[in-house]
Amino acid sequence: MIGEKTNIDKAASVGNYLSLYFGQNQGVRLGESTVVSRKAHRRMPEKRIKGQIKILLNRDAGKTYLDYVDADQVVHIDTYHKPGEINPLYVARAIFYALENYFLEQNPQLQYAEDERFKMVTDYANRIFITTNGGKGTVYDLFQGIIRPFIEGEEGFDHVHVLVRLNREEYYLVYVIAEAVEEVILQSEVKLAKVRNITHGNQKQAEESFAGYIKLPWKKFKGQQARQLPAKENVNQLILKLAEKFGGVDEIEEFLDSYSTNVFKRKGIDQQKKKWGDVEHYVEQLEELGLLKDTPFGKILTRKGLSLKDFVMNHKCELETEIRRNIRRAPSGGTSRFKKMGKVEKKSQQVEFTNRNKTINNPEKNWSGDLAVPETIVQAKKNSFLRGDTRLRIQKDDLHYYEKKSYIPIDICLLIDASGSMAGDKRQAACYLAEHLLLTGKEKVAVVTFQERSSKVVVPFTRNERILRRGLSTINPAGLTPLADGIMTALNLIKDTRVRNPLLVLITDGVPNTPLWTLDAKADGLEAAGRIANSNVRFICIGVESNRYYLEKVADRAQGVLYLVDDLNKENLINIVKAEKRTMLEAKRSLA
Amino acid sequence: MIPFAKLERYEGNESLFELVLMSVVSTLVGEPLHIHAEGLRGTGKTTIMRAARGILPNITRIKGCIYNCDPERPHCPQHKNMTAPELAELGTEEIPMPFLEISHSAKVGTVAGSIDLSRLTDSTQPEARLLPGLIPQAHRGILFIDEINRLADTSPEITDILLDVMGNKPGHIQIEEAGLPVVEIPVSVSVWAASNPDEDPGPLEEIRRQLSDRFDMVCYMGRPDSVDILAQMLKENSHAYKNKRYKDSHEEDDPGNEVYRKNIVKWAGLYEQADLPDFLRNFIARLYIKHNLESIRAIEAMQQGAVLHSIIRGHDKVLINDVTDMIPLVLKHRVDGDTLIKMINDVDSRSAKDGILTFRGRKNKKSKKEDEPDYFPQNARPLKDMSRGELINTEKTLTPSDY
């Protein structure tokens, strides 16, 4: 047995190694059953070798599990075990006491300063989050018996999942915690599981597979009539899934046509990818559902696939409604992360209208608005009666007037970077944003794109969904990024159209590389941004972290706001634009 | 207007016809069933619901009571405290089950109640009294709201009242009028609504989630897809045909409607006796747990609907199919499409033919490797048994470099 004294050194040397490897963006196996890193971990079922754990380099642990905004704040300690129940309360208690003992050993003086010691341990206890298959919570909460339930499918079903917010100097505690956790597992009569190997890699965006639970009706069943309804619901759902990916009914048809036997309609996989992003997953799913099949001439639609296409064509009306309904729905991922920089100070004009359905009777306040004559007379008659007047008298507190409401219309112009790098999912996300804005708001939406050497108005300011759709479907990302040109086109569009409180939303994943006036693309971009500042247009820019330096300058010159996101996905985009609209409305309200 | 019995039935609107009948039966017994028809423009949502006025049975009320007091259980402020002999003296009368509509220009006063103007302006004996609004007057009957999404958007006050009325069974309503005491009375009204989710301001659940959850069932109307049915519809609606029918029938009532009315009374009698068997009740409860449903209203509606459905279908006991038929109606507005499909399919495979024989089900099992219990074949040594050199391993040290 190794003595107590050396145990301390063990922890410290583990701490040293951890800060070395974490610095290199690596994770390690600590002992045989524990994996430690600052990233998320996953099993690797796709590999033949069992017992492997993959460290997902693109998923920071703090961001993934605790919704942190900054990376590298959290150390992720997973101790794998064989199947068995682990009570999180025991784990919490063990960690708590292990920490206390460890501090005592390190600094024996602490035994006389109980308060101080307790404060230290509680401080850490608040920074340690545990999940086991028995429940979850911070060590502090669990210690007091507050336990949140384990949810199926979450982290922790086969391991004790510990997240600790630690600074570099504190990494030695990882050893202390891991040892305590192992102790509890063994005491619970569960065996520790050996992690054979660890690998590092990126997580592929987990695509949902729907082929598993959708059942299509085009099978030869007897007495099918009885089960018509669920079958129809299934087909509907399948099409909605496809619509989520491809955009709309027309796009689904186009996609299915790429697998028709008509050579002129077929599209290669590269062409599809450019338009819709990663389609392979969907092709696989359709194959699994038996809608596509391999032939010597490539994949083609099966008979079932053809009936799906027929269904789409025959039920366009209902399907489009359902799709629009889905687009209207606010994105469920409410925890999208973005950084906001800067503030807009611009006056906005509001529209007032009278609500004839509601009258206000408030003698205290001076009324401003139309007098509601019938209500006033009824009120006067009633009050006269209650006052005991002999005849009808109208007094000030009988007056009813119609309520006035005001709202701030915000017409939005999306300025979308359509350079080559935006192809696929980012393009789809931007299109989705445009449709969502049109369907959920009462205001007009316009779309301007810039690519290669010029820019164009894809959709003029409109409330017409058909025009929007048609315009969006022409966006085909390719080429360079002429930002200045894009900004000028958008500004001219806004100037030439009668719009109210225009908001210009720039969505880009790069920096300009095609100039407009001079030879310096970036300088031209800034110059154009300067012209936004001189107009009455509000400006926000949505970009990615790596271009922060330049985009900050653009937003600053345009007197606008910069939003930085990890990923230009539709949830992020929608949430940002919504947040921006909200701030515009609130700013107005506070002025009023 | 074409009588209810003569309206064209096809696959897409069949469930609305059933829902209407179920709701009328339930209302007659005194348990409201709130239904909402959603669908495209001109698919007949409103037509069917309004036509149902023709099949409503009669209810008995205390004579002249505008609150429609049940002689057995008076509830209005006027009759609530009367003794049985006093009530008997008032007598009873039969009226058709109320069917009232909230229009879009409605104000809180007209919906809930306001001061009675005619009494107030009575030249001989003026008096300040409450006049119950549409909702209290529709007690034991049906309240119809067309384009409910628009109403929810423009009149949040009326929506709040509806939330109260539909919150429980029976619900309640509070009538306030400055200068008069507040009156609070229970109301048992089935609210029927129609809307087109595709028109401004969008589907109800996006506007007022609570209100959308108050509806026990939502029915999605489909378009007719058979030429015969469409031709028949055109014929029914053609000018010549309408004229002919008008000349032929002298009585207002269609004999078909009369059959419905009789059936409804019969069904109501059955419904008072019927109950859900325990195993089905457990089945519903398990659905709630398994699929993480939120609103208990959903499963309550499922129970109520299943019993009603079995009755109007003429079964003498509730079958599992009655429950599964309710799933889309009850849940489509409450859960997302994926969950619904999972529920429908899951339930189906249990009850129907394609259980054992499909290969697809087996294929999918392969993808569930995540929870493989023996993913870690070996046991590990605990940390404290290890020497210092073994403590830390990286990907490099763990991967054998040569074979």
Side-chain angles (χ1 to χ4, degrees):
Chain A
M1 260 327 259
I2 306 165
E4 301 288 36
K5 190 75 173 71
T6 31
N7 189 7
I8 298 168
D9 284 336
K10 243 181 174 176
S13 66
V14 165
N16 270 341
Y17 274 115
L18 289 182
S19 46
L20 173 73
Y21 288 123
F22 287 0
Q24 297 170 357
N25 225 5
Q26 280 200 50
V28 299
R29 190 186 81 178
L30 176 62
E32 287 188 335
S33 61
T34 305
V35 177
V36 187
S37 78
R38 291 191 302 206
K39 310 291 177 193
H41 306 154
R42 236 189 64 195
R43 282 183 174 195
M44 285 184 63
E46 63 266 30
K47 280 275 161 63
R48 280 294 131 84
I49 317 160
K50 288 181 170 181
Q52 282 217 65
I53 295 299
K54 188 173 183 179
I55 292 166
L56 304 170
L57 292 175
N58 57 348
R59 302 281 305 275
D60 181 79
K63 286 188 180 182
T64 312
Y65 302 118
L66 299 174
D67 275 349
Y68 280 19
V69 181
D70 291 322
D72 295 340
Q73 303 287 304
V74 167
V75 179
H76 180 192
I77 311 168
D78 275 347
T79 306
Y80 290 85
H81 57 75
K82 292 290 180 91
E85 292 276 310
I86 307 293
N87 188 334
L89 297 179
Y90 298 160
V91 179
R93 225 165 280 159
I95 292 178
F96 196 89
Y97 291 126
L99 289 176
E100 192 170 25
N101 283 337
Y102 184 76
F103 292 142
L104 263 177
E105 276 160 23
Q106 271 212 321
N107 184 0
Q109 291 299 317
L110 276 176
Q111 65 178 302
Y112 307 113
E114 206 173 312
D115 285 358
E116 184 64 20
R117 195 176 75 217
F118 184 70
K119 229 178 88 187
M120 263 173 91
V121 181
T122 340
D123 177 42
Y124 280 112
N126 265 320
R127 285 155 51 181
I128 306 177
F129 305 85
I130 302 176
T131 312
T132 73
N133 49 21
K136 60 182 176 185
T138 64
V139 165
Y140 186 77
D141 282 348
L142 290 168
F143 199 76
Q144 294 173 327
I146 304 169
I147 175 167
R148 284 187 294 146
F150 173 72
I151 298 166
E152 195 108 358
E154 271 192 344
E155 285 291 308
F157 69 98
D158 64 345
H159 60 270
V160 175
H161 170 81
V162 181
L163 299 166
V164 202
R165 233 171 69 217
L166 288 180
N167 294 326
R168 273 168 159 266
E169 317 80 68
E170 299 165 321
Y171 283 166
Y172 59 89
L173 288 176
V174 169
Y175 181 81
V176 181
I177 293 170
E179 204 185 34
V181 171
E182 283 193 350
E183 199 74 27
V184 176
I185 295 176
L186 292 172
Q187 273 167 15
S188 314
E189 300 192 341
V190 174
K191 296 226 168 71
L192 293 171
K194 180 170 177 178
V195 175
R196 266 212 208 148
N197 199 350
I198 54 174
T199 54
H200 293 80
N202 286 333
Q203 186 192 33
K204 260 179 93 182
Q205 196 82 37
E207 295 254 25
E208 206 194 354
S209 60
F210 45 81
Y213 57 82
I214 286 182
K215 289 183 186 166
L216 294 177
W218 302 295
K219 288 186 225 165
K220 294 249 156 56
F221 272 132
K222 278 178 195 160
Q224 192 175 31
Q225 204 59 32
R227 316 206 305 114
Q228 195 105 52
L229 182 73
K232 199 169 166 195
E233 302 262 344
N234 270 309
V235 181
N236 263 340
Q237 186 63 18
L238 172 66
I239 291 165
L240 289 181
K241 280 269 150 199
L242 292 176
E244 225 170 79
K245 170 74 183 172
F246 296 102
V249 175
D250 295 336
E251 279 83 358
I252 295 178
E253 263 184 66
E254 196 182 328
F255 172 69
L256 292 177
D257 273 341
S258 330
Y259 294 97
S260 73
T261 41
N262 182 341
V263 193
F264 298 106
K265 286 184 173 172
R266 285 182 76 92
K267 259 193 203 140
I269 192 91
D270 287 334
Q271 225 176 332
Q272 293 175 31
K273 270 192 173 171
K274 204 162 164 190
K275 189 148 188 195
W276 298 305
D278 184 20
V279 292
E280 274 140 353
H281 173 71
Y282 286 80
V283 174
E284 262 169 42
Q285 297 279 310
L286 291 186
E287 254 180 295
E288 197 173 323
L289 283 171
L291 299 170
L292 290 178
K293 70 176 173 204
D294 264 322
T295 65
F297 312 103
K299 288 187 175 37
I300 59 162
L301 289 173
T302 59
R303 189 175 296 164
K304 272 197 206 174
L306 290 173
S307 9
L308 179 74
K309 213 179 121 192
D310 282 346
F311 184 91
V312 172
M313 281 173 10
N314 291 337
H315 294 81
K316 230 176 189 166
C317 239
E318 292 100 319
L319 291 170
E320 274 178 349
T321 318
E322 290 269 312
I323 291 168
R324 277 196 289 267
R325 186 186 190 122
N326 274 354
I327 294 176
R328 279 200 177 96
R329 195 165 292 157
S332 51
T335 55
S336 69
R337 280 171 284 267
F338 48 81
K339 252 186 244 169
K340 180 180 179 179
M341 278 167 238
K343 215 169 115 187
V344 197
E345 301 273 351
K346 284 225 162 93
K347 265 195 276 177
S348 38
Q349 63 200 97
Q350 57 183 10
V351 174
E352 283 197 338
F353 63 94
T354 309
N355 181 0
R356 298 272 161 193
N357 276 358
K358 195 179 176 195
T359 60
I360 296 175
N361 166 235
N362 185 354
E364 308 297 317
K365 230 173 113 187
N366 272 336
W367 54 272
S368 64
D370 299 354
L371 189 68
V373 178
E375 282 81 4
T376 304
I377 290 177
V378 171
Q379 183 82 15
K381 180 71 195 164
K382 188 177 79 181
N383 283 351
S384 302
F385 176 79
L386 292 175
R387 280 192 298 260
D389 296 347
T390 44
R391 52 171 19 156
L392 174 70
R393 282 194 311 174
I394 299 178
Q395 298 190 336
K396 189 185 170 215
D397 52 346
D398 298 331
L399 296 180
H400 274 249
Y401 50 92
Y402 291 113
E403 187 192 42
K404 258 197 180 167
K405 277 188 179 167
S406 66
Y407 83 106
I408 304 169
I410 302 169
D411 290 327
I412 294 181
C413 174
L414 297 181
L415 178 54
I416 299 173
D417 177 355
S419 61
S421 57
M422 287 288 285
D425 291 334
K426 293 177 196 164
R427 166 197 181 272
Q428 292 293 86
C431 293
Y432 190 90
L433 171 69
E435 287 197 52
H436 180 82
L437 289 174
L438 185 85
L439 288 176
T440 52
K442 295 187 173 77
E443 299 102 351
K444 290 183 201 156
V445 175
V447 179
V448 176
T449 59
F450 52 98
Q451 71 190 106
E452 205 51 22
R453 305 212 170 273
S454 64
S455 57
K456 67 175 176 194
V457 178
V458 179
V459 182
F461 277 101
T462 184
R463 286 279 317 144
N464 185 331
E465 215 230 336
R466 210 161 276 261
I467 295 178
L468 181 78
R469 293 205 63 94
R470 203 175 304 142
L472 291 178
S473 68
T474 63
I475 300 178
N476 213 345
L480 302 168
T481 316
L483 176 63
D485 200 54
I487 292 180
M488 292 319 291
T489 310
L491 278 181
N492 286 334
L493 173 71
I494 291 172
K495 211 168 64 190
D496 295 343
T497 328
R498 234 176 62 103
V499 289
R500 299 155 303 173
N501 301 318
L503 172 68
L504 180 60
V505 180
L506 167 63
I507 301 170
T508 177
D509 67 339
V511 289
N513 48 23
T514 305
L516 178 61
W517 299 293
T518 63
L519 289 174
D520 183 352
K522 289 188 178 179
D524 279 0
L526 288 178
E527 171 63 28
R531 302 201 183 178
I532 302 178
N534 296 333
S535 65
N536 65 339
V537 178
R538 274 163 195 274
F539 175 73
I540 66 170
C541 169
I542 306 175
V544 288
E545 184 75 40
S546 50
N547 305 322
R548 175 177 183 165
Y549 180 69
Y550 179 73
L551 294 180
E552 249 178 0
K553 281 201 280 186
V554 171
D556 193 49
R557 273 293 282 280
Q559 292 176 16
V561 184
L562 170 64
Y563 286 92
L564 290 174
V565 292
D566 310 337
D567 184 23
L568 289 171
N569 60 24
K570 55 189 177 194
E571 285 82 14
N572 277 341
L573 295 183
I574 290 174
N575 284 332
I576 287 174
V577 176
K578 281 212 166 134
E580 188 58 32
K581 274 176 108 175
R582 219 174 304 130
T583 44
M584 281 175 83
L585 296 178
E586 270 159 18
K588 185 67 206 176
R589 215 152 283 147
S590 62
L591 279 177
Chain B
M1 208 159 81
I2 306 173
F4 188 81
K6 288 239 171 89
L7 286 171
E8 212 54 53
R9 282 146 173 83
Y10 54 90
E11 194 202 321
N13 70 8
E14 214 182 321
S15 52
L16 182 58
F17 278 104
E18 282 186 353
L19 278 188
V20 163
L21 290 179
M22 281 159 60
S23 182
V24 175
V25 170
S26 196
T27 312
L28 188 61
V29 173
E31 188 185 22
L33 183 74
H34 310 300
I35 59 177
H36 182 184
E38 287 195 319
L40 299 168
R41 283 170 277 267
T43 40
K45 309 175 288 285
T46 314
T47 314
I48 295 175
M49 285 184 153
R50 288 215 176 110
R53 195 198 282 259
I55 57 160
L56 294 180
N58 285 347
I59 58 170
T60 312
R61 71 170 183 192
I62 293 173
K63 200 164 195 174
C65 179
I66 40 175
Y67 292 94
N68 298 334
C69 267
D70 186 346
E72 322 249 300
R73 273 170 299 177
H75 72 288
C76 81
Q78 201 188 344
H79 300 119
K80 185 164 56 176
N81 298 321
M82 286 191 177
T83 58
E86 279 174 324
L87 288 171
E89 200 172 310
L90 286 174
T92 60
E93 63 179 336
E94 286 218 340
I95 55 156
M97 180 186 273
F99 183 99
L100 299 172
E101 254 183 72
I102 295 187
S103 76
H104 281 262
S105 54
K107 300 183 180 67
V108 174
T110 51
V111 170
S114 59
I115 197 149
D116 188 342
L117 259 191
S118 60
R119 293 292 186 95
L120 192 63
T121 52
D122 192 318
S123 51
T124 54
Q125 206 181 19
E127 192 184 5
R129 277 188 58 168
L130 272 184
L131 179 71
L134 284 171
I135 295 178
Q137 286 188 46
H139 182 60
R140 300 169 65 201
I142 283 142
L143 190 69
F144 176 59
I145 307 167
D146 204 2
E147 303 211 35
I148 191 160
N149 52 351
R150 225 146 55 80
L151 185 84
D153 192 41
T154 55
S155 313
E157 305 83 16
I158 294 181
T159 313
D160 289 337
I161 296 175
L162 284 175
L163 288 180
D164 264 354
V165 170
M166 300 164 72
N168 294 307
K169 293 177 181 184
H172 75 106
I173 189 168
Q174 198 164 322
I175 312 171
E176 291 173 54
E177 179 75 49
L180 295 177
V182 175
V183 176
E184 201 187 319
I185 49 171
V187 278
S188 146
V189 175
S190 289
V191 179
W192 292 5
S195 71
N196 178 353
D198 201 27
E199 264 166 10
D200 268 349
L204 183 62
E205 68 255 24
E206 299 297 314
I207 298 159
R208 276 300 275 273
R209 195 124 213 154
Q210 305 110 300
L211 185 61
S212 127
D213 182 56
R214 296 290 202 267
F215 282 99
D216 296 308
M217 310 217 178
V218 172
C219 162
Y220 287 73
M221 300 285 290
R223 290 180 311 154
D225 47 8
S226 117
V227 177
D228 295 346
I229 285 172
L230 284 165
Q232 184 62 28
M233 276 178 167
L234 282 176
K235 186 178 163 197
E236 287 266 352
N237 270 316
S238 73
H239 182 67
Y241 193 81
K242 272 188 199 158
N243 265 350
K244 181 166 167 280
R245 191 173 59 219
Y246 185 72
K247 267 183 217 150
D248 283 355
S249 68
H250 298 288
E251 59 213 304
E252 271 281 296
D253 215 0
D254 185 89
N257 278 354
E258 189 54 42
V259 174
Y260 271 112
R261 199 170 302 130
K262 279 197 184 119
N263 274 336
I264 285 169
V265 175
K266 188 182 83 193
W267 287 330
L270 290 173
Y271 182 55
E272 282 190 315
Q273 318 290 326
D275 198 8
L276 201 65
D278 277 342
F279 79 96
L280 286 179
R281 211 169 268 148
N282 287 339
F283 173 77
I284 294 176
R286 269 200 299 276
L287 281 183
Y288 179 85
I289 301 285
K290 181 172 173 196
H291 294 277
N292 240 329
L293 301 182
E294 189 186 341
S295 171
I296 307 235
R297 286 202 183 92
I299 52 172
E300 283 173 353
M302 215 183 286
Q303 157 169 303
Q304 189 184 352
V307 177
L308 286 166
H309 190 255
S310 75
I311 286 172
I312 65 162
R313 280 281 168 99
H315 307 151
D316 58 351
K317 62 176 177 249
V318 189
L319 303 175
I320 183 116
N321 276 2
D322 293 316
V323 179
T324 54
D325 281 354
M326 288 302 113
I327 290 178
L329 298 172
V330 164
L331 289 172
K332 186 135 188 198
H333 59 303
R334 291 183 162 114
V335 300
D336 62 301
D338 277 343
T339 321
L340 182 65
I341 284 296
K342 281 177 194 162
M343 283 178 88
I344 291 176
N345 291 344
D346 192 358
V347 162
D348 251 343
S349 66
R350 219 174 283 176
S351 64
K353 304 129 197 144
D354 61 335
I356 320 156
L357 288 174
T358 40
F359 290 101
R360 193 173 302 127
R362 296 208 185 141
K363 234 201 240 163
N364 294 330
K365 267 185 198 146
K366 252 194 273 168
S367 61
K368 290 202 117 196
K369 281 175 217 146
E370 277 280 316
D371 325 338
E372 227 175 275
D374 57 345
Y375 185 68
F376 299 104
Q378 292 172 344
N379 290 343
R381 289 176 295 154
L383 276 174
K384 59 180 183 206
D385 297 349
M386 295 167 109
S387 73
R388 185 176 309 214
E390 295 174 289
L391 280 180
I392 297 262
N393 276 296
T394 60
E395 182 174 351
K396 242 187 206 160
T397 58
L398 285 170
T399 315
S401 52
D402 49 40
Y403 288 87

